[in-house]
Amino acid sequence: MRTAAVRVPAQSRVPERRREGERDRERDVAAGASTVGAAARGEHTHSEVPLPCPPVENPPPRAEAARPVVQRASVRGQVLAALRTALVGGELVPGEVYSAPALGERFGVSATPVREAMQQLALEGAVEVVPNRGFRVVRRGTRELAELAEIRSLIEVPVMLRLARTVAAARWAELRPLAEATVRAASTGCRATYAESDRAFHRAVLALAGNDQLVQIAEDLHRRAQWPLVGGPVSRGRADLVADAAEHTALLEALIVQDLPVVQSLVREHFAGA
C-alpha cells in the first residue's frame, strides 16, 4: 500500500524561514562589524565604495573634531607667507636647496605644511622640486626682470590710462594712505615689508577697474618681479626703495589731475625699476 507523501502546510514553514532570515541578518551584521573594525584599524577592505554620508543638520558637540583642518590650513598659509617673506628678503638664496623637514624645524612646525607651501611656490615659479632632496630657489637674472616689466607695462599702462580718464579725483585721493604706507615701509629698508605695501598699493589702483582676473594676474606678475636676483639678496637697497615709493605718490597726484602723459611715463619707469 503506497503511503501518501506528507505535505507540510505553508503556515508551518514560516517559522523556519523566519529563523533562516534571522541567521542571514546575524551573518550580515557580523560581516559588517568586521568590515567596520578593519576600516577603523586602517586595514584595506574589499567592500563596495560606501555612499556619502548625508549632511548632519544639528551636529553634536564632537563636531569640533573638524577644527584641526582649519588650523592646518591656517598653518600652511602662515608658512607660505613666511617663506615668501624669506624669499623676498634674500634669506632663501637663489640656487640653494632647502628641505621641508629642515624648514619645518626652523618654523617650529611639521614638514607637511612646509611641503604644501613649497609646492605652491613651485606653481608660482619661485622654486623647483629636487627629487629626494627638497626645493631649489630659482635663479633669476636681469633679463627675466626686464621681461616681467614689459609684460606688466603692456597690461597695466592701458588700464591706468583708462582709469585716469574715468575715475573721479576723490576716489584717487582715498588711496593716499596706501601710497604713504609704501613710503614708511621703504624707510625701514626691509625689502619684505616694502614688497607687501607695494603690492597693496598697486592692487588697490587696479581694483578700480572692476576686473578681478586682471588684479589676480597683475598680482602674480608683481610678486615674481620682487624675487631676488642671482647677483645677491641686496640688489635693491634702502635708497632704491625710497625712490620707488616716491613714484607711488607722484603717480597718484598725476592720476588725480588726469595728467595722462605723466601717468604713462611714471608707470613705465616704475616697472623698469622694479
Side-chain angles (χ1 to χ4, degrees):
M1 178 176 178
R2 295 181 62 183
T3 304
V6 179
R7 296 184 179 181
V8 180
Q11 293 82 354
S12 63
R13 294 198 298 269
V14 171
E16 181 63 27
R17 292 179 180 175
R18 184 178 297 120
R19 286 193 296 271
E20 292 178 357
E22 293 174 352
R23 287 195 295 270
D24 291 341
R25 284 193 296 272
E26 291 174 356
R27 286 195 298 270
D28 292 342
V29 171
S34 176
T35 302
V36 171
R41 294 189 299 272
E43 301 173 2
H44 178 68
T45 62
H46 295 279
S47 59
E48 297 180 356
V49 179
L51 294 175
C53 297
V56 180
E57 297 182 357
N58 297 312
R62 293 185 61 184
E64 294 180 357
R67 186 175 300 171
V69 177
V70 177
Q71 292 178 346
R72 177 178 175 182
S74 177
V75 170
R76 183 173 63 248
Q78 293 175 21
V79 171
L80 178 59
L83 288 173
R84 283 173 171 165
T85 299
L87 182 67
V88 174
E91 297 177 44
L92 298 181
V93 183
E96 292 294 324
V97 178
Y98 299 89
S99 69
L103 290 173
E105 183 176 354
R106 170 180 173 180
F107 293 127
V109 299
S110 67
T112 299
V114 175
R115 190 174 293 109
E116 293 172 346
M118 292 296 270
Q119 290 289 353
Q120 176 60 36
L121 289 178
L123 292 176
E124 297 175 3
V127 300
E128 57 187 6
V129 179
V130 181
N132 302 321
R133 292 186 61 190
F135 301 86
R136 178 186 291 113
V137 179
V138 174
R139 293 177 176 271
R140 296 191 323 125
T142 55
R143 177 177 178 177
E144 181 178 348
L145 190 62
E147 291 174 348
L148 288 169
E150 180 181 4
I151 297 173
R152 293 183 66 195
S153 295
L154 291 173
I155 294 176
E156 297 190 37
V157 170
V159 174
M160 288 193 181
L161 290 176
R162 175 167 60 86
L163 292 175
R165 291 190 295 266
T166 58
V167 176
R171 293 293 304 277
W172 292 120
E174 293 175 357
L175 301 185
R176 276 203 178 98
L178 290 176
E180 294 169 355
T182 65
V183 175
R184 290 193 299 270
S187 64
T188 66
C190 178
R191 296 177 58 201
T193 301
Y194 179 72
E196 290 292 336
S197 61
D198 184 23
R199 290 199 309 275
F201 174 78
H202 283 268
R203 185 167 56 245
V205 170
L206 293 178
L208 295 176
N211 188 328
D212 293 338
Q213 297 301 316
L214 167 67
V215 174
Q216 182 177 349
I217 293 173
E219 173 90 358
D220 179 65
L221 293 172
H222 195 170
R223 191 186 299 277
R224 289 170 181 262
Q226 293 174 331
W227 297 339
L229 298 176
V230 176
V234 292
S235 57
R236 300 187 71 193
R238 179 179 177 277
D240 295 325
L241 299 181
V242 171
D244 193 79
E247 293 176 356
H248 292 154
T249 303
L251 174 61
L252 196 57
E253 295 301 326
L255 289 168
I256 291 175
V257 299
Q258 296 185 335
D259 192 336
L260 302 187
V262 173
V263 169
Q264 182 173 355
S265 176
L266 283 174
V267 174
R268 292 188 183 279
E269 292 177 4
H270 188 69
F271 290 160

